[in-house]
């Protein structure tokens, strides 16, 4: 992963400054852009999942959600000089969205769309250096997202094991006998293999 230098942080903050100058319009425009690239993702937003794409821009809940997301991004950008805060914000965001079925792929597509939107919206102002800086920030963000999602899998996996073992415990005698017979078969075949090996010598 490329190093997130002070210069790159500054470039990201400068470029985002152009976006936040008209937060409401740019936020709505971004989500329209995002849903155009990923139409199925609109279904993940209960407040406007059934609103026709052509009617989204005039939907109050859609515009409100778009602005809230852009304020969240602004918090990340503003705190790039203190990555501990960035990590804390991201961890909370990921934890809040895991129960809603949001996976790493969704964040990857979101970050990819943000970069593409910035390139489109800012035009020639979005220089190669700015793009490279955003790519570095995106890599940092996604590394935290992936780590948090993977960490959350551990308790879920543990719960699955506990639930499956609970089914076994309901009829321990039956399953214990089945396991014993299975073990006997394994030992028998192993033992027969040794006999055949000795006899063939």
């Amino acid at each position: 992963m490329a190093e997130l230098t002070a210069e790159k942080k500054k470039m990201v903050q400068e470029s985002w400054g152009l976006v936040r100058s008209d937060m409401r319009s740019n936020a709505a425009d971004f989500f329209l852009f995002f849903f155009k690239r990923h139409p199925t993702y609109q279904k993940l937003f209960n407040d406007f999942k059934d609103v026709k794409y052509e009617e989204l821009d005039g939907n109050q809940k859609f515009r409100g959600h778009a602005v809230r997301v852009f304020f969240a991004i602004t918090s990340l950008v503003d705190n790039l000089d203190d990555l501990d805060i960035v990590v804390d914000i991201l961890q909370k965001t990921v934890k809040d969205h895991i129960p809603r079925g949001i996976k790493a792929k969704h964040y990857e597509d979101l970050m990819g769309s943000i970069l593409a939107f910035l390139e489109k919206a800012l035009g020639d102002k979005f220089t190669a250096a700015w793009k490279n800086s955003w790519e570095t920030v995106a890599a940092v963000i996604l590394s935290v997202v992936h780590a948090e999602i993977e960490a959350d899998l551990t308790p879920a996996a543990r719960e699955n094991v506990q639930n499956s073992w609970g089914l076994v415990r309901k009829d321990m005698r039956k399953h214990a006998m089945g396991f014993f017979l299975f073990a006997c078969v394994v030992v028998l075949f192993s033992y027969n293999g040794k006999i055949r090996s000795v006899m063939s010598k």
Side-chain angles (χ1 to χ4, degrees):
M1 183 188 300
E3 182 183 357
L4 182 56
T5 63
E7 184 179 5
K8 288 183 177 180
K9 294 175 184 178
K10 184 178 179 181
M11 288 184 181
V12 168
Q13 290 167 339
E14 286 177 353
S15 57
W16 189 252
L18 299 178
V19 174
R20 70 194 297 181
S21 63
D22 190 0
M23 184 80 82
R24 284 182 292 182
S25 294
N26 284 321
D29 287 346
F30 166 73
F31 268 92
L32 291 172
F33 178 80
F34 182 51
F35 291 151
K36 196 76 171 179
R37 286 166 60 102
H38 304 283
T40 59
Y41 285 6
Q42 185 181 335
K43 292 296 182 181
L44 296 171
F45 299 84
N46 290 330
D47 286 342
F48 46 85
K49 65 179 181 180
D50 296 321
V51 178
K52 292 181 180 179
Y53 179 83
E54 297 76 14
E55 299 174 0
L56 280 173
D57 196 31
N59 185 278
Q60 183 178 352
K61 290 185 177 180
F62 165 78
R63 296 186 69 86
H65 185 88
V67 169
R68 286 195 298 274
V69 171
F70 263 43
F71 272 120
I73 295 173
T74 299
S75 295
L76 294 175
V77 172
D78 286 349
N79 286 289
L80 285 176
D81 293 322
D82 191 340
L83 290 180
D84 286 340
I85 295 177
V86 172
V87 170
D88 185 67
I89 293 172
L90 287 171
Q91 287 177 332
K92 185 178 186 308
T93 300
V94 172
K95 285 179 180 177
D96 288 346
H97 285 76
I98 285 176
R100 306 176 199 177
I102 305 302
K103 305 182 185 304
K105 180 66 164 60
H106 296 119
Y107 291 99
E108 292 167 6
D109 290 338
L110 177 66
M111 290 307 305
S113 295
I114 288 174
L115 266 66
F117 176 77
L118 289 172
E119 194 165 8
K120 177 185 176 183
L122 299 181
D124 293 339
K125 295 178 182 178
F126 196 66
T127 63
W130 277 10
K131 182 178 181 180
N132 179 261
S133 299
W134 270 98
E135 287 172 344
T136 303
V137 167
V140 171
I141 289 173
L142 290 176
S143 68
V144 176
V145 168
H146 279 275
E148 192 61 30
I149 290 177
E150 289 171 8
D152 186 75
L153 291 178
T154 302
R158 187 185 304 117
E159 183 179 355
N160 288 336
V161 171
Q162 291 172 340
N163 289 340
S164 60
W165 182 246
L167 296 176
V168 174
R169 290 177 62 184
K170 286 182 179 180
D171 196 347
M172 184 73 81
R173 182 176 298 178
K174 173 184 174 182
H175 291 294
M177 181 59 69
F179 177 78
F180 174 74
L181 292 174
F182 173 76
C184 287
V185 171
V186 171
V187 171
L188 180 61
F189 273 98
S190 176
Y191 184 68
N192 284 342
K194 291 180 180 179
I195 292 176
R196 286 195 296 271
S197 177
V198 172
M199 293 293 290
S200 63
K201 291 182 179 179

